[in-house]
Amino acid sequence: MTYTKAHALLEKHNQSHLLRFWEKLDQPAQAALLRQIAALDFVSIARMQAMLKAKDAAAAGGEIRPAQVVELDASTRQRAVARGEEELRAGRVGVVLVAGGQGSRLGFDGPKGAYPIGPISLAVLFHFHARKVLALSRRHHVRIPLYIMVSDTNHAATRACFEQHGWFGLPQADVFFFEQGMWPALDAGGKIVLDAPGHIFQSPDGHGGTLSALAASGTLADMEHRGLRTIFYFQVDNPMVEVADPAFLGVHLNEQADFSIKVCAKRDPQEGLGVVVERNGRCAMVEYTELTDAQKNQRAASGDLYFKYGNVAIHVFSVPFLRQEACAALPLHVAHKKVPVCGDDGKTVTPAKPNAYKFEKFVFDVLPDAQKIVSLAFDRREEFSPVKNASGDDSPATTRRDLSAKWARWLKAVGVAVPEDEHGYPIQLIEIDPVFAIDPADLVVRLRKRPDVSKPVLLQESAT
Ligand code: UTP
């Protein structure tokens, strides 16, 4: 893009202030700014501006009630597992890991996937995700491509982490990175924020950006070319995930669903998980911030919470549904934030109070577009303990504790008595590399001698 074109474009959209430092920029800075301007998505920006104007508009109306949730008994589970494993063996399953977020609550300097989470090994989050994919592909003698969504800010560091760890044992040819979109922030008047004389402030467009990024990057075409039909989707912060869980894949396939969601009982009424509801005959997600206190605390006749199940962002998509949604204009979610801004003197100031609006798309907003969805209940002790905060709930300490407890249950399931504290947690840390065992059935085959549980137990591929 040339200066003249940029100028005309910005004038048309009433954003000419982005060029106000033009004369003071050197040539590389001018070129970089022109690249940013060329990439601005003015269709979405117009939606953002309209949203700011309609700030007080009522939220989506209509009565809500909890969507139906499937709980698997032993025989339906067995049927589902058989169907899911058939899909895996046929090479029709791919895995999407979303890792483009900024991890601001954790405050870690680097991509969240590079955070050391192994209770003993301090292996990084990506290690557990990638090695589950590797273990599954070995078990089913099939290639399972791993597609990782990154953002402009963490792409290089994420790739470097995979390189540094030898791709965690995966064939490099089966690991793909694709970049999500970046969006500018707007001030209250709808103007795009500059954070330096030659730079537009931008942040990732939310995990809902997965849909458009899959298409724009050619990743969706790659999936179609490989004959993939079923995509398992999960988030980088939860190392407890049963990646491409055959039971979940199988239920999704048996129900011919477009989109499936794993849900678990909320820890307490205030836990920050969205709930899947039916509203006006369609399914939708209601964020916890949108539930009233009365709704959060409402009880069913059984005594359980009425909105009992929370969404933890573990999904299955059918590939045709991903294609259908690639161009969907998902709703925008807005947040008032502190955004660094460039003053008239060219200096960057980070304000003490929120000064601008950031926008995101959320992946679960595809729900109303799906003809058929499945909400599958799971036991959160087994599959959910995310790293969100630096301390307290959902922090590295609780995740390591929960991982260790899960692997202790596997040891117990194969007959190893594991000493526990008064809360039922193992006294010694336990860690099992997914490539050593991906479930208790695997463990029983791989464990040649009883581990000494009076010390920390780390079971890795080379151990016997
Ligand atoms: P979170 O909503 O927890 O956000 O993302 P975050 O950026 O990781 O952390 P905070 O809120 O700044 O502390 C949930 C998942 O969605 C991904 C994250 O990488 C994480 O796996 N995500 C989020 C993206 O891939 N892109 C985004 O724009 C936002």
Side-chain angles (χ1 to χ4, degrees), residues 345-416:
D345 56 1
K347 295 211 174 91
T348 302
V349 184
T350 301
K353 286 201 263 171
N355 61 324
Y357 295 88
K358 284 166 84 170
F359 298 82
E360 284 190 330
K361 295 179 276 188
F362 293 161
V363 75
F364 50 70
D365 281 325
V366 300
L367 262 171
D369 296 344
Q371 288 306 314
K372 175 79 191 167
I373 70 144
V374 174
S375 238
L376 176 67
F378 73 95
D379 177 356
R380 65 183 292 153
R381 283 191 327 159
E382 301 298 334
E383 301 182 40
F384 182 55
S385 185
V387 181
K388 295 281 187 197
N389 307 308
S391 59
D393 282 343
D394 300 333
S395 66
T398 54
T399 303
R400 290 193 189 107
R401 177 200 68 193
D402 294 341
L403 279 168
S404 196
K406 172 174 176 163
W407 286 316
R409 285 192 292 277
W410 290 11
L411 282 175
K412 279 204 266 179
V414 304
V416 179

Side-chain angles (χ1 to χ4, degrees), residues 98-105 112 149 180 204 206-207 235-236 388:
V98 290
Q102 298 183 302
S104 39
R105 282 169 288 173
K112 208 190 246 189
M149 185 164 85
Q180 68 180 108
H207 43 66
Q235 301 191 155
V236 73
K388 295 281 187 197

Side-chain angles (χ1 to χ4, degrees), residues 47 208 245:
R47 292 179 64 211
D245 165 21

Side-chain angles (χ1 to χ4, degrees), residues 241-272:
V241 172
E242 295 294 326
V243 173
D245 165 21
F248 188 30
L249 298 175
V251 178
H252 171 91
L253 289 161
N254 285 336
E255 294 293 328
Q256 301 186 317
D258 295 316
F259 178 60
S260 295
I261 306 169
K262 265 196 182 178
V263 292
C264 66
K266 289 167 78 169
R267 186 163 52 205
D268 54 61
Q270 299 303 331
E271 189 178 14

